[in-house]
Amino acid sequence: MGAGPLTPAETVDRYLQLCEDRELDEAGTLLAPRPRIVFPGGACYGSLSEMAADQRGRYRWVRKHRDRYFTGSAPDGLVTITSLGTLYGEDLGGRPFEGVRYVDFFVLRDGLIAEQHVYNDLSDTGISAPVRG
């Protein structure tokens, strides 16, 4: 990356990489105040530490092949970024998985991530989201 501010897609890419690397404090600097992070199964989080604690115990590790980004904008100044790709990793039993589709949808306000909505096919691999009551 060059000098100067990040583009919205670069902000999202940097955020996703920091989350994968478990650099959650640094990733948090790319979030707007009071972010909304929504995961499959309806889990909604207000911080990365809350999300990480709740997602622990679903798999040993997971990463993303981030293949494409789409950028949109709204008259109110909000920017949307959609990231498409696939997940790969290892489940709790040590079995690898790959090629699992994902879509992450982001809303940026003033250059920071205000919302993240996560959609993926992990449940098709036998790795499912925690059941919500």
Side-chain angles (χ1 to χ4, degrees):
M1 279 181 269
L6 299 175
T7 67
E10 289 170 337
T11 297
V12 165
D13 192 66
R14 177 84 177 126
Y15 166 81
L16 291 172
Q17 186 62 55
L18 289 166
C19 287
E20 284 182 10
D21 295 341
R22 288 301 185 236
E23 299 286 340
L24 299 184
D25 289 340
E26 190 173 347
T29 67
L30 299 173
L31 294 175
R34 296 175 306 286
R36 184 168 182 241
I37 304 168
V38 183
F39 266 59
C44 189
Y45 309 104
S47 71
L48 290 175
S49 59
E50 181 185 357
M51 177 274 301
D54 193 49
Q55 294 294 308
R56 197 170 285 124
R58 291 196 50 215
Y59 38 76
R60 285 188 182 175
W61 61 272
V62 66
R63 291 190 166 269
K64 293 179 177 180
H65 288 296
R66 298 181 295 274
D67 297 330
R68 298 167 64 188
Y69 289 101
F70 299 93
T71 303
S73 61
D76 59 5
L78 296 178
V79 175
T80 60
I81 300 291
T82 303
S83 172
L84 296 177
T86 57
L87 303 173
Y88 64 101
E90 190 173 288
D91 71 14
L92 290 175
R95 292 176 300 273
F97 60 88
E98 63 180 305
V100 178
R101 296 180 309 164
Y102 86 84
V103 175
D104 283 354
F105 179 79
F106 295 87
V107 177
L108 280 70
R109 183 178 54 245
D110 300 324
L112 296 174
I113 298 166
E115 295 181 36
Q116 176 184 8
H117 299 266
V118 177
Y119 304 93
N120 62 55
D121 290 338
L122 265 178
S123 62
D124 291 344
T125 68
I127 301 171
S128 60
V131 174
R132 304 280 172 220

PDB file of all heavy atoms in Angstrom, residues 94-116:
ATOM      1  N   GLY A  94      -9.789 -31.579  13.280  1.00  0.00           N
ATOM      2  CA  GLY A  94      -8.546 -31.578  12.521  1.00  0.00           C
ATOM      3  C   GLY A  94      -8.716 -31.830  11.037  1.00  0.00           C
ATOM      4  O   GLY A  94      -7.733 -31.956  10.303  1.00  0.00           O
ATOM      5  N   ARG A  95      -9.963 -31.888  10.559  1.00  0.00           N
ATOM      6  CA  ARG A  95     -10.228 -32.115   9.140  1.00  0.00           C
ATOM      7  C   ARG A  95     -10.180 -30.792   8.381  1.00  0.00           C
ATOM      8  O   ARG A  95     -10.852 -29.834   8.760  1.00  0.00           O
ATOM      9  CB  ARG A  95     -11.589 -32.773   8.952  1.00  0.00           C
ATOM     10  CG  ARG A  95     -11.653 -34.208   9.492  1.00  0.00           C
ATOM     11  CD  ARG A  95     -13.059 -34.791   9.375  1.00  0.00           C
ATOM     12  NE  ARG A  95     -14.049 -34.013  10.110  1.00  0.00           N
ATOM     13  CZ  ARG A  95     -14.337 -34.188  11.410  1.00  0.00           C
ATOM     14  NH1 ARG A  95     -13.696 -35.086  12.117  1.00  0.00           N
ATOM     15  NH2 ARG A  95     -15.258 -33.435  11.993  1.00  0.00           N
ATOM     16  N   PRO A  96      -9.410 -30.752   7.304  1.00  0.00           N
ATOM     17  CA  PRO A  96      -9.356 -29.518   6.512  1.00  0.00           C
ATOM     18  C   PRO A  96     -10.629 -29.329   5.697  1.00  0.00           C
ATOM     19  O   PRO A  96     -11.312 -30.294   5.365  1.00  0.00           O
ATOM     20  CB  PRO A  96      -8.151 -29.735   5.598  1.00  0.00           C
ATOM     21  CG  PRO A  96      -8.005 -31.207   5.502  1.00  0.00           C
ATOM     22  CD  PRO A  96      -8.528 -31.788   6.784  1.00  0.00           C
ATOM     23  N   PHE A  97     -10.935 -28.078   5.417  1.00  0.00           N
ATOM     24  CA  PHE A  97     -12.021 -27.761   4.494  1.00  0.00           C
ATOM     25  C   PHE A  97     -11.545 -26.610   3.617  1.00  0.00           C
ATOM     26  O   PHE A  97     -10.646 -25.854   3.978  1.00  0.00           O
ATOM     27  CB  PHE A  97     -13.326 -27.409   5.225  1.00  0.00           C
ATOM     28  CG  PHE A  97     -13.246 -26.219   6.134  1.00  0.00           C
ATOM     29  CD1 PHE A  97     -13.475 -24.934   5.653  1.00  0.00           C
ATOM     30  CD2 PHE A  97     -12.959 -26.375   7.483  1.00  0.00           C
ATOM     31  CE1 PHE A  97     -13.409 -23.831   6.493  1.00  0.00           C
ATOM     32  CE2 PHE A  97     -12.897 -25.284   8.339  1.00  0.00           C
ATOM     33  CZ  PHE A  97     -13.116 -24.007   7.833  1.00  0.00           C
ATOM     34  N   GLU A  98     -12.126 -26.510   2.452  1.00  0.00           N
ATOM     35  CA  GLU A  98     -11.783 -25.432   1.525  1.00  0.00           C
ATOM     36  C   GLU A  98     -12.899 -25.259   0.519  1.00  0.00           C
ATOM     37  O   GLU A  98     -13.794 -26.091   0.423  1.00  0.00           O
ATOM     38  CB  GLU A  98     -10.459 -25.718   0.807  1.00  0.00           C
ATOM     39  CG  GLU A  98     -10.481 -26.945  -0.078  1.00  0.00           C
ATOM     40  CD  GLU A  98      -9.142 -27.177  -0.757  1.00  0.00           C
ATOM     41  OE1 GLU A  98      -8.665 -26.246  -1.421  1.00  0.00           O
ATOM     42  OE2 GLU A  98      -8.604 -28.281  -0.612  1.00  0.00           O
ATOM     43  N   GLY A  99     -12.854 -24.143  -0.190  1.00  0.00           N
ATOM     44  CA  GLY A  99     -13.839 -23.888  -1.225  1.00  0.00           C
ATOM     45  C   GLY A  99     -15.225 -23.546  -0.712  1.00  0.00           C
ATOM     46  O   GLY A  99     -16.192 -23.635  -1.454  1.00  0.00           O
ATOM     47  N   VAL A 100     -15.331 -23.138   0.543  1.00  0.00           N
ATOM     48  CA  VAL A 100     -16.623 -22.780   1.129  1.00  0.00           C
ATOM     49  C   VAL A 100     -16.938 -21.327   0.765  1.00  0.00           C
ATOM     50  O   VAL A 100     -16.186 -20.421   1.132  1.00  0.00           O
ATOM     51  CB  VAL A 100     -16.605 -22.969   2.662  1.00  0.00           C
ATOM     52  CG1 VAL A 100     -17.935 -22.561   3.267  1.00  0.00           C
ATOM     53  CG2 VAL A 100     -16.251 -24.401   3.028  1.00  0.00           C
ATOM     54  N   ARG A 101     -18.024 -21.112   0.063  1.00  0.00           N
ATOM     55  CA  ARG A 101     -18.363 -19.753  -0.400  1.00  0.00           C
ATOM     56  C   ARG A 101     -18.661 -18.816   0.760  1.00  0.00           C
ATOM     57  O   ARG A 101     -19.242 -19.223   1.761  1.00  0.00           O
ATOM     58  CB  ARG A 101     -19.597 -19.778  -1.303  1.00  0.00           C
ATOM     59  CG  ARG A 101     -19.424 -20.539  -2.573  1.00  0.00           C
ATOM     60  CD  ARG A 101     -20.674 -20.535  -3.410  1.00  0.00           C
ATOM     61  NE  ARG A 101     -21.832 -20.954  -2.622  1.00  0.00           N
ATOM     62  CZ  ARG A 101     -23.091 -20.764  -2.983  1.00  0.00           C
ATOM     63  NH1 ARG A 101     -23.369 -20.168  -4.109  1.00  0.00           N
ATOM     64  NH2 ARG A 101     -24.080 -21.187  -2.215  1.00  0.00           N
ATOM     65  N   TYR A 102     -18.259 -17.545   0.586  1.00  0.00           N
ATOM     66  CA  TYR A 102     -18.641 -16.512   1.545  1.00  0.00           C
ATOM     67  C   TYR A 102     -18.929 -15.216   0.801  1.00  0.00           C
ATOM     68  O   TYR A 102     -18.427 -14.968  -0.299  1.00  0.00           O
ATOM     69  CB  TYR A 102     -17.557 -16.280   2.612  1.00  0.00           C
ATOM     70  CG  TYR A 102     -16.494 -15.301   2.182  1.00  0.00           C
ATOM     71  CD1 TYR A 102     -16.685 -13.923   2.330  1.00  0.00           C
ATOM     72  CD2 TYR A 102     -15.314 -15.745   1.605  1.00  0.00           C
ATOM     73  CE1 TYR A 102     -15.729 -13.028   1.902  1.00  0.00           C
ATOM     74  CE2 TYR A 102     -14.355 -14.847   1.189  1.00  0.00           C
ATOM     75  CZ  TYR A 102     -14.565 -13.486   1.330  1.00  0.00           C
ATOM     76  OH  TYR A 102     -13.626 -12.591   0.891  1.00  0.00           O
ATOM     77  N   VAL A 103     -19.744 -14.384   1.428  1.00  0.00           N
ATOM     78  CA  VAL A 103     -19.980 -12.996   1.035  1.00  0.00           C
ATOM     79  C   VAL A 103     -19.956 -12.188   2.321  1.00  0.00           C
ATOM     80  O   VAL A 103     -20.647 -12.520   3.286  1.00  0.00           O
ATOM     81  CB  VAL A 103     -21.357 -12.801   0.351  1.00  0.00           C
ATOM     82  CG1 VAL A 103     -21.620 -11.325   0.079  1.00  0.00           C
ATOM     83  CG2 VAL A 103     -21.461 -13.615  -0.920  1.00  0.00           C
ATOM     84  N   ASP A 104     -19.136 -11.167   2.360  1.00  0.00           N
ATOM     85  CA  ASP A 104     -19.147 -10.206   3.465  1.00  0.00           C
ATOM     86  C   ASP A 104     -19.601  -8.873   2.890  1.00  0.00           C
ATOM     87  O   ASP A 104     -19.059  -8.406   1.882  1.00  0.00           O
ATOM     88  CB  ASP A 104     -17.754 -10.023   4.076  1.00  0.00           C
ATOM     89  CG  ASP A 104     -17.335 -11.167   4.986  1.00  0.00           C
ATOM     90  OD1 ASP A 104     -18.151 -12.058   5.250  1.00  0.00           O
ATOM     91  OD2 ASP A 104     -16.177 -11.154   5.434  1.00  0.00           O
ATOM     92  N   PHE A 105     -20.579  -8.277   3.529  1.00  0.00           N
ATOM     93  CA  PHE A 105     -21.110  -6.982   3.104  1.00  0.00           C
ATOM     94  C   PHE A 105     -20.770  -5.967   4.190  1.00  0.00           C
ATOM     95  O   PHE A 105     -21.041  -6.200   5.369  1.00  0.00           O
ATOM     96  CB  PHE A 105     -22.626  -7.066   2.903  1.00  0.00           C
ATOM     97  CG  PHE A 105     -23.239  -5.772   2.495  1.00  0.00           C
ATOM     98  CD1 PHE A 105     -23.154  -5.335   1.184  1.00  0.00           C
ATOM     99  CD2 PHE A 105     -23.887  -4.975   3.427  1.00  0.00           C
ATOM    100  CE1 PHE A 105     -23.716  -4.119   0.811  1.00  0.00           C
ATOM    101  CE2 PHE A 105     -24.447  -3.765   3.062  1.00  0.00           C
ATOM    102  CZ  PHE A 105     -24.356  -3.339   1.749  1.00  0.00           C
ATOM    103  N   PHE A 106     -20.151  -4.864   3.807  1.00  0.00           N
ATOM    104  CA  PHE A 106     -19.712  -3.828   4.743  1.00  0.00           C
ATOM    105  C   PHE A 106     -20.371  -2.497   4.419  1.00  0.00           C
ATOM    106  O   PHE A 106     -20.589  -2.174   3.249  1.00  0.00           O
ATOM    107  CB  PHE A 106     -18.197  -3.625   4.647  1.00  0.00           C
ATOM    108  CG  PHE A 106     -17.399  -4.811   5.076  1.00  0.00           C
ATOM    109  CD1 PHE A 106     -17.087  -5.818   4.178  1.00  0.00           C
ATOM    110  CD2 PHE A 106     -16.945  -4.924   6.384  1.00  0.00           C
ATOM    111  CE1 PHE A 106     -16.340  -6.919   4.572  1.00  0.00           C
ATOM    112  CE2 PHE A 106     -16.201  -6.014   6.787  1.00  0.00           C
ATOM    113  CZ  PHE A 106     -15.900  -7.016   5.881  1.00  0.00           C
ATOM    114  N   VAL A 107     -20.630  -1.725   5.463  1.00  0.00           N
ATOM    115  CA  VAL A 107     -21.057  -0.334   5.329  1.00  0.00           C
ATOM    116  C   VAL A 107     -20.003   0.507   6.024  1.00  0.00           C
ATOM    117  O   VAL A 107     -19.674   0.267   7.194  1.00  0.00           O
ATOM    118  CB  VAL A 107     -22.440  -0.094   5.981  1.00  0.00           C
ATOM    119  CG1 VAL A 107     -22.820   1.378   5.900  1.00  0.00           C
ATOM    120  CG2 VAL A 107     -23.500  -0.972   5.322  1.00  0.00           C
ATOM    121  N   LEU A 108     -19.426   1.468   5.290  1.00  0.00           N
ATOM    122  CA  LEU A 108     -18.410   2.355   5.843  1.00  0.00           C
ATOM    123  C   LEU A 108     -18.987   3.753   6.004  1.00  0.00           C
ATOM    124  O   LEU A 108     -19.687   4.253   5.113  1.00  0.00           O
ATOM    125  CB  LEU A 108     -17.179   2.422   4.944  1.00  0.00           C
ATOM    126  CG  LEU A 108     -16.198   1.250   5.063  1.00  0.00           C
ATOM    127  CD1 LEU A 108     -16.780  -0.015   4.491  1.00  0.00           C
ATOM    128  CD2 LEU A 108     -14.877   1.588   4.408  1.00  0.00           C
ATOM    129  N   ARG A 109     -18.695   4.347   7.151  1.00  0.00           N
ATOM    130  CA  ARG A 109     -19.094   5.722   7.441  1.00  0.00           C
ATOM    131  C   ARG A 109     -17.833   6.483   7.800  1.00  0.00           C
ATOM    132  O   ARG A 109     -17.086   6.078   8.685  1.00  0.00           O
ATOM    133  CB  ARG A 109     -20.100   5.738   8.590  1.00  0.00           C
ATOM    134  CG  ARG A 109     -20.631   7.125   8.930  1.00  0.00           C
ATOM    135  CD  ARG A 109     -21.675   7.111  10.052  1.00  0.00           C
ATOM    136  NE  ARG A 109     -21.199   6.435  11.247  1.00  0.00           N
ATOM    137  CZ  ARG A 109     -21.697   5.305  11.750  1.00  0.00           C
ATOM    138  NH1 ARG A 109     -22.696   4.691  11.152  1.00  0.00           N
ATOM    139  NH2 ARG A 109     -21.205   4.782  12.847  1.00  0.00           N
ATOM    140  N   ASP A 110     -17.574   7.578   7.100  1.00  0.00           N
ATOM    141  CA  ASP A 110     -16.384   8.395   7.343  1.00  0.00           C
ATOM    142  C   ASP A 110     -15.110   7.561   7.282  1.00  0.00           C
ATOM    143  O   ASP A 110     -14.185   7.743   8.081  1.00  0.00           O
ATOM    144  CB  ASP A 110     -16.484   9.123   8.694  1.00  0.00           C
ATOM    145  CG  ASP A 110     -17.686  10.049   8.764  1.00  0.00           C
ATOM    146  OD1 ASP A 110     -18.028  10.665   7.722  1.00  0.00           O
ATOM    147  OD2 ASP A 110     -18.297  10.159   9.841  1.00  0.00           O
ATOM    148  N   GLY A 111     -15.061   6.591   6.360  1.00  0.00           N
ATOM    149  CA  GLY A 111     -13.872   5.781   6.149  1.00  0.00           C
ATOM    150  C   GLY A 111     -13.696   4.619   7.105  1.00  0.00           C
ATOM    151  O   GLY A 111     -12.726   3.871   7.001  1.00  0.00           O
ATOM    152  N   LEU A 112     -14.637   4.444   8.042  1.00  0.00           N
ATOM    153  CA  LEU A 112     -14.543   3.360   9.021  1.00  0.00           C
ATOM    154  C   LEU A 112     -15.709   2.382   8.858  1.00  0.00           C
ATOM    155  O   LEU A 112     -16.801   2.762   8.418  1.00  0.00           O
ATOM    156  CB  LEU A 112     -14.545   3.920  10.440  1.00  0.00           C
ATOM    157  CG  LEU A 112     -13.357   4.808  10.805  1.00  0.00           C
ATOM    158  CD1 LEU A 112     -13.571   5.417  12.192  1.00  0.00           C
ATOM    159  CD2 LEU A 112     -12.049   4.036  10.742  1.00  0.00           C
ATOM    160  N   ILE A 113     -15.495   1.145   9.234  1.00  0.00           N
ATOM    161  CA  ILE A 113     -16.496   0.093   9.088  1.00  0.00           C
ATOM    162  C   ILE A 113     -17.553   0.239  10.181  1.00  0.00           C
ATOM    163  O   ILE A 113     -17.261   0.083  11.363  1.00  0.00           O
ATOM    164  CB  ILE A 113     -15.833  -1.293   9.139  1.00  0.00           C
ATOM    165  CG1 ILE A 113     -14.847  -1.444   7.976  1.00  0.00           C
ATOM    166  CG2 ILE A 113     -16.885  -2.400   9.128  1.00  0.00           C
ATOM    167  CD1 ILE A 113     -13.903  -2.621   8.101  1.00  0.00           C
ATOM    168  N   ALA A 114     -18.772   0.547   9.767  1.00  0.00           N
ATOM    169  CA  ALA A 114     -19.884   0.702  10.707  1.00  0.00           C
ATOM    170  C   ALA A 114     -20.683  -0.598  10.833  1.00  0.00           C
ATOM    171  O   ALA A 114     -21.261  -0.871  11.880  1.00  0.00           O
ATOM    172  CB  ALA A 114     -20.804   1.832  10.253  1.00  0.00           C
ATOM    173  N   GLU A 115     -20.720  -1.381   9.739  1.00  0.00           N
ATOM    174  CA  GLU A 115     -21.449  -2.650   9.741  1.00  0.00           C
ATOM    175  C   GLU A 115     -20.687  -3.681   8.938  1.00  0.00           C
ATOM    176  O   GLU A 115     -20.070  -3.358   7.914  1.00  0.00           O
ATOM    177  CB  GLU A 115     -22.829  -2.500   9.096  1.00  0.00           C
ATOM    178  CG  GLU A 115     -23.777  -1.608   9.826  1.00  0.00           C
ATOM    179  CD  GLU A 115     -25.136  -1.529   9.141  1.00  0.00           C
ATOM    180  OE1 GLU A 115     -25.599  -2.559   8.584  1.00  0.00           O
ATOM    181  OE2 GLU A 115     -25.725  -0.441   9.166  1.00  0.00           O
ATOM    182  N   GLN A 116     -20.767  -4.927   9.410  1.00  0.00           N
ATOM    183  CA  GLN A 116     -20.270  -6.084   8.669  1.00  0.00           C
ATOM    184  C   GLN A 116     -21.336  -7.165   8.757  1.00  0.00           C
ATOM    185  O   GLN A 116     -21.782  -7.511   9.851  1.00  0.00           O
ATOM    186  CB  GLN A 116     -18.960  -6.610   9.247  1.00  0.00           C
ATOM    187  CG  GLN A 116     -18.470  -7.868   8.550  1.00  0.00           C
ATOM    188  CD  GLN A 116     -17.226  -8.473   9.173  1.00  0.00           C
ATOM    189  OE1 GLN A 116     -16.779  -8.051  10.245  1.00  0.00           O
ATOM    190  NE2 GLN A 116     -16.660  -9.460   8.516  1.00  0.00           N
TER     191      GLN A 116
END
